[in-house]
Amino acid sequence: MNSMSLLFIGLMLVPYTAFIVWLLKQDKRKNTMGIVVLMVAILATLLVAIYIDAKYM
């Protein structure tokens, strides 16, 4: 993995974390199942992107 990939992941992690915290505060019914599904989907996408990037470098 090159430095630009790590920089991109780092720049995306901070807003993503802030967005998840904001979503949790907005959830009036405290039903976090949708948030958990969203986090798992984005994490899976991130892992696939890292794997693909490492495969072709």
Side-chain angles (χ1 to χ4, degrees), residues 15-50:
Y16 169 68
T17 304
F19 178 68
I20 293 298
V21 169
W22 179 78
L23 277 179
L24 286 172
K25 287 183 179 182
Q26 298 298 318
D27 194 7
K28 301 293 185 208
R29 295 181 296 152
K30 301 299 179 201
N31 184 11
T32 58
M33 186 53 122
I35 302 296
V36 170
V37 170
L38 176 67
M39 288 174 42
V40 169
I42 292 176
L43 182 63
T45 304
L46 184 64
L47 290 174
V48 168
I50 291 170

